[in-house]
């Protein structure tokens, strides 16, 4: 069953079509360009004209603010096609003194990603920038607000025989002084980079496929382990032990399911640690906290088996109370964290989430049916015992009268 669910979720782990790409235009209020492309995230786009005789690229990046006190940036990574670190960027934001839109250059080195200090403006190296400016859509009368469009103009001289540009773009909520703060860390914001050819206009999105595959593997394994097997193990313990015909077999089934879930969950948890180590500065606070709490509770449950008192021990009832409380808490946190994981992966409206919800709903349906059956059996037995007691009392009275 677990293998079928694992395969099913892997097949369904794909996104619905995104609507985050922008619509491009080659015309602005002040300039016209030859080519344009829509960028895959943040409803951004870029237009440009390439002058092959001198290797100059005139361009305009179109972005939007997500906060009146936020920032919008665009830049070039001269070395790597798939990361922000190492990029030379231009960032537009409102001047903290005058409130007017300003554009400053920044270098995104490794210290920025690790957030070791504020991001300070400095001249760009490795990129030959001849001019740059920024303006709001609507001209001088426009104001910076949530959703306001901004245009960043730049003229860059490219090296000979190099017509491919590795560029990055992003936006943030706040600027402290003249230091833009870190941008949001959703998967969309972390995927705002691509490569395009200035002569053909052909663009490629350089996604880190290895990292994406690792995240999907982490999600699928944890969904099966914490989100299905552990709840299923709890269901077997609650309802199968009431079947006297199977004897102690219910315990071995319960232990096997829970141990399998814990081992798979340990693998998924380890992958999560690797993903966190490979993404310094990127945190998913609630998801991480729930993951640590769930794994800790499951580890305590596993260790508790080594100290399980015998049925005749007076501490047995305390152990059972602990086992039930920690076990159900682990199940609840695990299921909640699976849904948190879907949000982290931007799979909130995906078929993968739908498939998981169907599996979980089936398990809940089984629980409801078993619970109803248990109450029916309990009420029937209680009625039969009452009838026996009543019959025995009547027999005693009859015997007493004859004597």
């Amino acid at each position: 069953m677990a293998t079928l669910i694992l395969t099913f979720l892997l097949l369904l782990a794909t996104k619905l079509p995104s609507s985050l790409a922008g619509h491009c235009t080659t015309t602005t209020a002040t300039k016209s360009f030859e080519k344009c492309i829509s960028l895959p995230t943040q409803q951004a786009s870029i237009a440009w004209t390439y002058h092959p005789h001198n290797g100059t690229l005139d361009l305009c990046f179109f972005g939007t603010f997500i906060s009146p006190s936020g920032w919008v940036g665009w830049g070039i990574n001269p070395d790597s096609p798939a990361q922000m670190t190492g990029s030379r960027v231009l960032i537009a934001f409102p001047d903290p003194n005058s409130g007017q839109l300003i554009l400053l250059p920044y270098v995104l080195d490794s210290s920025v990603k690790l957030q070791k200090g504020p991001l300070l403006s400095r001249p760009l190296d490795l990129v030959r920038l001849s001019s740059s400016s920024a303006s709001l859509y609507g001209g001088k009368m426009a104001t910076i607000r949530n959703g306001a469009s901004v245009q960043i103009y730049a003229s860059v001289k490219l090296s000979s025989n190099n017509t491919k540009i590795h560029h990055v773009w992003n936006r943030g909520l706040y600027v402290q002084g003249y230091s833009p703060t870190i941008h949001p860390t959703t998967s969309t914001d972390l995927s705002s980079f691509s490569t395009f050819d200035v002569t053909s206009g052909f663009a490629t999105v350089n996604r880190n496929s290895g990292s994406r595959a690792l995240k999907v593997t982490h999600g699928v394994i944890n969904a099966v382990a914490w989100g299905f097997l552990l709840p299923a193990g709890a269901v077997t313990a609650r309802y199968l032990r009431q079947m006297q015909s199977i004897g102690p077999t219910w315990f071995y089934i319960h232990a096997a399911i829970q141990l399998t879930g814990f081992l798979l969950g340990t693998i998924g948890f380890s992958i999560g640690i690797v993903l966190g180590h490979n993404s310094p500065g990127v945190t998913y606070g609630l998801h991480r906290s729930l993951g640590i709490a769930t794994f800790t509770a499951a580890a305590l449950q596993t260790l508790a088996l080594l100290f399980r008192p015998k049925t005749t021990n007076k501490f047995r009832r305390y152990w059972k109370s602990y086992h039930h409380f920690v076990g159900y808490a682990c199940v609840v946190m695990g299921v909640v964290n699976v849904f948190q994981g879907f949000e982290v992966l931007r799979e909130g409206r995906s078929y993968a989430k739908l498939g998981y919800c169907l599996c979980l709903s089936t398990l809940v349906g089984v629980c409801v049916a078993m619970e109803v059956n248990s109450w029916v059996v309990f009420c029937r037995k209680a009625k039969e015992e009452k009838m026996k007691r009543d019959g025995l009392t009547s027999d005693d009275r009859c015997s007493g009268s004859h004597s």
Side-chain angles (χ1 to χ4, degrees):
M1 176 62 78
T3 305
L4 290 175
I5 296 172
L6 182 65
T7 304
F8 179 64
L9 289 176
L10 278 171
L11 291 174
L12 291 178
T14 56
K15 287 187 176 182
L16 293 175
S18 174
S19 60
L20 296 175
H23 301 285
C24 76
T25 178
T26 58
T27 304
T28 68
T30 57
K31 295 188 69 173
S32 295
F33 300 90
E34 293 181 354
K35 294 181 174 66
C36 72
I37 54 173
S38 299
L39 301 179
T41 64
Q42 301 179 353
Q43 298 180 331
S45 63
I46 189 169
W48 74 92
T49 298
Y50 178 60
H51 307 282
H53 62 281
N54 59 5
T56 301
L57 177 68
D58 297 324
L59 62 89
C60 178
F61 168 79
F62 301 84
T64 55
F65 283 95
I66 56 174
S67 168
S69 57
W71 56 267
V72 175
W74 175 89
I76 294 175
N77 192 323
D79 301 318
S80 174
Q83 61 179 357
M84 293 280 182
T85 303
S87 299
R88 274 60 181 169
V89 300
L90 300 170
I91 299 180
F93 57 88
D95 189 301
N97 296 317
S98 65
Q100 297 298 313
L101 184 70
I102 60 173
L103 184 71
L104 294 178
Y106 295 85
V107 176
L108 305 183
D109 55 26
S110 58
S111 65
V112 175
K113 185 174 182 179
L114 296 174
Q115 302 181 56
K116 292 182 176 179
L119 179 60
L120 302 178
S121 176
R122 54 173 164 160
L124 302 184
D125 56 354
L126 303 181
V127 174
R128 291 179 287 179
L129 181 69
S130 55
S131 65
S132 62
S133 63
S135 65
L136 291 173
Y137 179 77
K140 295 182 179 180
M141 299 300 294
T143 58
I144 299 173
R145 66 186 188 282
N146 186 12
S149 298
V150 63
Q151 300 165 355
I152 297 177
Y153 297 88
S155 292
V156 182
K157 187 171 182 60
L158 304 182
S159 57
S160 59
N161 300 322
N162 180 25
T163 59
K164 286 186 177 182
I165 298 294
H166 306 311
H167 70 132
V168 299
W169 62 95
N170 226 307
R171 54 194 182 180
L173 293 169
Y174 305 105
V175 178
Q176 295 178 345
Y178 291 90
S179 299
T181 60
I182 189 171
H183 57 74
T185 55
T186 66
S187 60
T188 300
D189 296 294
L190 296 176
S191 303
S192 296
F193 46 76
S194 69
T195 299
F196 71 96
D197 192 299
V198 297
T199 55
S200 66
F202 179 74
T204 58
V205 179
N206 304 290
R207 299 195 182 277
N208 193 334
S209 58
S211 176
R212 175 67 183 178
L214 198 61
K215 289 179 180 178
V216 171
T217 303
H218 166 76
V220 171
I221 290 177
N222 284 332
V224 172
W226 307 116
F228 185 81
L229 287 179
L230 261 65
V235 171
T236 60
R238 177 168 177 79
Y239 300 111
L240 291 187
R241 66 179 176 182
Q242 299 176 10
M243 300 179 182
Q244 298 179 358
S245 59
I246 65 174
T249 305
W250 71 267
F251 173 77
Y252 299 109
I253 296 175
H254 166 69
I257 294 176
Q258 299 300 74
L259 184 59
T260 302
F262 178 67
L263 292 176
L264 275 176
T266 301
I267 296 173
F269 183 76
S270 301
I271 295 175
I273 293 176
V274 172
L275 288 170
H277 178 74
N278 292 341
S279 305
V282 180
T283 58
Y284 302 100
L286 180 59
H287 184 61
R288 181 179 62 179
S289 299
L290 283 173
I292 294 173
T294 303
F295 179 78
T296 302
L300 290 174
Q301 283 288 77
T302 305
L303 291 174
L305 291 176
L306 302 177
F307 304 99
R308 186 167 67 118
K310 294 182 179 179
T311 54
T312 56
N313 193 299
K314 64 178 181 179
F315 293 106
R316 174 71 176 215
R317 62 173 181 168
Y318 300 111
W319 183 91
K320 287 180 65 176
S321 298
Y322 156 82
H323 188 66
H324 289 166
F325 175 78
V326 176
Y328 286 126
C330 182
V331 168
V332 171
M333 290 189 297
V335 172
V336 170
N337 208 28
V338 169
F339 284 101
Q340 280 292 316
F342 280 117
E343 297 305 317
V344 168
L345 285 174
R346 306 287 291 180
E347 299 284 351
R349 297 183 178 180
S350 67
Y351 290 114
K353 184 177 180 180
L354 176 62
Y356 173 71
C357 289
L358 290 175
C359 293
L360 194 61
S361 299
T362 302
L363 188 59
V364 171
V366 171
C367 289
V368 172
M370 296 293 288
E371 190 68 27
V372 171
N373 180 71
S374 298
W375 277 102
V376 170
V377 172
F378 173 78
C379 293
R380 184 183 301 166
K381 287 184 177 180
K383 186 176 181 180
E384 290 176 354
E385 290 179 359
K386 182 179 179 182
M387 292 176 64
K388 287 181 180 180
R389 289 196 302 269
D390 292 344
L392 180 60
T393 303
S394 299
D395 292 343
D396 290 343
R397 289 175 180 173
C398 292
S399 300
S401 63
H402 286 299
S403 62

